Amino acid sequence: MADDEVATRAPESDAHESPTHAGSSDERRPAMSEHCTTDRPTPNGEVPQGEIRQLGGIDVYLTKPDTYPSNPSKLLLLLTGGTGLKSTNNQIQADKFASEGYVVVMPDLFDGDPAPNSAAVPESETLVTSFLETFKLKAAETAKSFLLDMWMARHTEEKVMPILEKVIHACEGEFADAVGNGGGIYAVGYCIGGRYVLLLAGERTINHTSWTGAQKQPDEEAGEGQGPTKKGPYIKAGALAHATLVSPEDFRGLKSPVSLVCVEHDPVFPDEVRIAGEDAMSKGNLEHEVQVYPGVPHGFAVVGDYDDTNIKEAQLTAYEQMLKWINEH
């Protein structure tokens, strides 16, 4: 099957994908959706308007309002799912926010290594008519699962957070006007990128040997201690859609207001995680909002074409929810 055939298939049926059953061998394995690794068809006539360049030594997609810098703008980080920096749909999503007055920086969170595409996996709707076809299907699913496991092991927060720190530091220098105009940096995130919005919105106690190991060691002459230090929050406000790989612990220590776009019965952002997150935010008196969208697949909020008009309308509503939140904060 060709790559473009996979990219254009309709995964709406994934909206009700069953979660891993308790007691199975995969019970504790982090889950990722097909939508985290495969783009929807790009809407007709839409093409990216920005450019790929380096910022702080990291590849980023940069897109700006037409009137910038003559008119004041704000700085927005857009954090993607596994399809990454070179996804046309992700770039167009960034352009949409740029058209609303934001200088948008979309960093390559995965250092040139986006998640394995689903091209090797046959259509889930394919009629299996023989034992051999069943065997091939299971083998392909196992191979893809293995590739995703290996990919996730390469892109942990210990690798991703230093990338974000470098980009944020560079933004504070090159786009100081936009950062100052907004009173800080804003962030939106989708799928995997959604989790990093939570991490950027929180205050964390970090050991110098953890994910900040890429930075310099403590400077005793400058009065820096050898023990843990507090870092963050890095952003003024954030919005995230159908986050992936989130645990209840990711909601602890949140300091910046956040808006969540959630999918009803999302197998990769289970209800129990969402409810635990809502409880933590409420107990912490954190300003937040949570909207649950029924009848849509994980990944629906990212730019991409759907045949189902309900999903199309929900996609627009989710974008408006996220835009309104960052505009108001």
Side-chain angles (χ1 to χ4, degrees):
M1 183 180 298
D3 287 357
D4 56 348
E5 292 176 326
V6 174
T8 55
R9 75 183 184 86
E12 286 89 334
S13 59
D14 293 347
H16 303 292
E17 179 183 343
S18 298
T20 303
H21 294 291
S24 73
S25 60
D26 287 343
E27 183 176 6
R28 291 182 178 84
R29 191 180 57 137
M32 282 180 62
S33 166
E34 192 86 357
H35 299 270
C36 298
T37 62
T38 305
D39 274 336
R40 293 291 306 166
T42 300
N44 287 334
E46 296 194 32
V47 294
Q49 303 296 314
E51 61 173 340
I52 294 179
R53 51 161 286 193
Q54 285 216 327
L55 188 61
I58 305 297
D59 284 342
V60 303
Y61 177 77
L62 175 65
T63 180
K64 312 170 192 175
D66 292 338
T67 57
Y68 179 80
S70 337
N71 289 343
S73 296
K74 298 178 182 179
L75 196 288
L76 176 70
L77 292 177
L78 191 150
L79 309 182
T80 72
T83 51
L85 179 73
K86 295 186 178 179
S87 156
T88 297
N89 287 357
N90 289 341
Q91 293 176 0
I92 292 172
Q93 187 75 63
D95 291 341
K96 287 172 68 69
F97 285 103
S99 71
E100 298 290 342
Y102 290 88
V103 173
V104 184
V105 175
M106 186 172 78
D108 182 3
L109 301 179
F110 315 118
D111 195 22
D113 177 34
N117 193 275
S118 59
V121 181
E123 297 269 6
S124 60
E125 295 80 13
T126 299
L127 179 63
V128 178
T129 58
S130 71
F131 172 80
L132 179 59
E133 289 176 356
T134 303
F135 178 81
K136 287 179 179 178
L137 176 61
K138 293 299 182 184
E141 289 173 346
T142 301
K144 181 189 174 187
S145 176
F146 175 76
L147 288 173
L148 282 174
D149 284 347
M150 294 295 290
W151 181 82
M152 286 188 286
R154 293 195 299 272
H155 301 291
T156 61
E157 66 185 80
E158 287 79 10
K159 299 289 184 65
V160 175
M161 287 301 293
I163 289 173
L164 287 169
E165 287 185 321
K166 290 176 183 177
V167 170
I168 287 170
H169 180 68
C171 286
E172 289 171 338
E174 182 167 344
F175 301 110
D177 58 332
V179 175
N181 183 55
I185 293 174
Y186 297 84
V188 295
Y190 299 85
C191 299
I192 297 168
R195 177 177 183 243
Y196 286 98
V197 171
L198 292 177
L199 296 185
L200 292 177
E203 180 182 76
R204 309 280 163 173
T205 300
I206 304 297
N207 292 315
H208 290 292
T209 55
S210 65
W211 53 256
T212 55
Q215 70 181 23
K216 67 180 179 66
Q217 292 301 309
D219 186 343
E220 293 183 16
E221 293 183 1
E224 295 180 356
Q226 293 290 336
T229 59
K230 290 189 181 294
K231 303 206 71 172
Y234 294 84
I235 59 175
K236 184 178 180 183
L240 51 147
H242 37 71
T244 301
L245 307 179
V246 172
S247 69
E249 289 73 23
D250 294 330
F251 289 94
R252 296 175 184 170
L254 290 182
K255 299 295 183 183
S256 304
V258 291
S259 172
L260 279 72
V261 169
C262 301
V263 172
E264 186 178 38
H265 308 309
D266 190 343
V268 294
F269 188 45
D271 290 345
E272 56 266 28
V273 174
R274 173 179 56 79
I275 292 169
E278 291 185 70
D279 289 344
M281 290 186 291
S282 295
K283 289 176 181 176
N285 294 316
L286 180 79
E287 184 185 1
H288 67 279
E289 69 172 4
V290 178
Q291 296 292 332
V292 179
Y293 290 71
V296 296
H298 183 95
F300 81 98
V302 180
V303 162
D305 202 13
Y306 286 93
D307 293 330
D308 189 321
T309 56
N310 291 327
I311 298 177
K312 287 183 177 182
E313 290 173 1
Q315 185 181 86
L316 177 59
T317 302
Y319 170 70
E320 291 173 344
Q321 174 187 331
M322 298 170 79
L323 178 63
K324 184 174 184 286
W325 186 261
I326 59 175
N327 280 346
E328 293 181 349
H329 290 82

